[in-house]
Amino acid sequence: MAAEAVKRVTSRHGAFHPLRVAAVDRLTDDAVAVTLLVPPALRETFRFAAGQHIAVRRSAEGAEIRRTYSICTPAPGAEGPEFLRIGVRLVEGGEFSTYALKELAVGEVMEVMAPAGRFALEPRPGHFAAVVGGSGITPVLSIAATLLSRQPEARFCLIRSDRTAASTMFLEEVADLKDRWPDRFQLVCALSREEQQAGLVSGRLDEERLTGLLPALLPVASVDGWFLCGPYGLVRAAERALRGLGVSRDRVHQEIFHVDAAPAEGVPIAGAALAASHSSVTATLDGRSGTWPVQDGEPLLETVLRNRSDAPYACKGGVCGTCRAFLVSGQVRMDRNFALEPDELEAGYVLACQSHPVGERVELDFDR
Ligand code: FES
């Protein structure tokens, strides 16, 4: 993601800050937008690039749950944001989303980590496009609104896929983009569970359909950046379609929101030899380092967390990228990776929650 490289937030890693809920707006039957007030003292900490996300933490019945949610509002100026708005869709059995939809009220305080993530676009002239599914619209709404308002020489094409019109999040906000920039914003909606209506594409967007649809919509080869966001199946289908259409990998950015069946797509790093039985990890976090033994089979994040409870993480599933760390020395094997881009892997970054040591010593740096 070199062109859209975003500086990592420099505030303390893993630290949570209290933010008060200013509004909870119903978007659909199963989704809300939550607006959080950012006090002046935290506006620098919460300054974000369009497309970034925040991690939230909630303690209930003695257990802690963490989730990441993308910010849907446009990126703020140098003074930082007065508020953040996130979209939360109900996930079946999801503890945090159930709480957000059924209990969360104005005035409550949520614990929130500083914005992070590299699925982002710094406004610049050019033609950009996104293929999103369901709640994958959330970061792309921020990206499109920021780009169009700040860069008069930019255009954006949004292809969104939803089950039905009634389940479509941020309908009004997206319609507003079309009203404000009719010449620079192109919108295509595909509904997978509804009969075709005027101007809509019906049926699921799979690789074959996207391969036919994309060249009919825009000059695929001259698009400067593609943003794919949503469920695993849609993102992979769009990625394969783009590859088949000759789009180079460095123009494609992706963020996966759900990995349903946990496909085996681990990325072994530097040879997947068996882990040594007596490995240790040295980790640097906020300028302080420590070295600790790795217990058999555990990912490096767990070793670090046992000794440094402020280590950053959210999903522990290789999806959100919050636990990204630089591999200073040694080798690791990652179980799976749905968060790091190829250029990050090449540069030496790993997901601590998915990494196991290969060899006796590994050194990680969470500050880079
Ligand atoms: S905590 Fe989400 S990828 Fe590691």
Side-chain angles (χ1 to χ4, degrees), residues 46-57:
F46 279 95
R47 194 142 51 82
F48 65 90
Q52 287 195 302
H53 57 252
I54 50 174
V56 298
R57 176 171 71 176

Side-chain angles (χ1 to χ4, degrees), residues 288-299:
R288 284 192 296 127
S289 301
T291 300
W292 310 287
V294 181
Q295 292 184 2
D296 272 355
E298 72 178 1

Side-chain angles (χ1 to χ4, degrees), residues 301 312-324 339 351-354:
L301 176 69
Y313 76 92
C315 74
K316 289 191 179 177
V319 177
C320 72
T322 309
C323 64
R324 188 182 95 141
L351 297 173
C353 76
Q354 299 298 309

Side-chain angles (χ1 to χ4, degrees), residues 208-231:
E208 192 184 339
R209 296 200 71 207
L210 285 164
T211 301
L213 181 64
L214 295 176
L217 289 173
L218 72 175
V220 170
S222 61
V223 170
D224 298 287
W226 291 87
F227 292 82
L228 317 178
C229 188

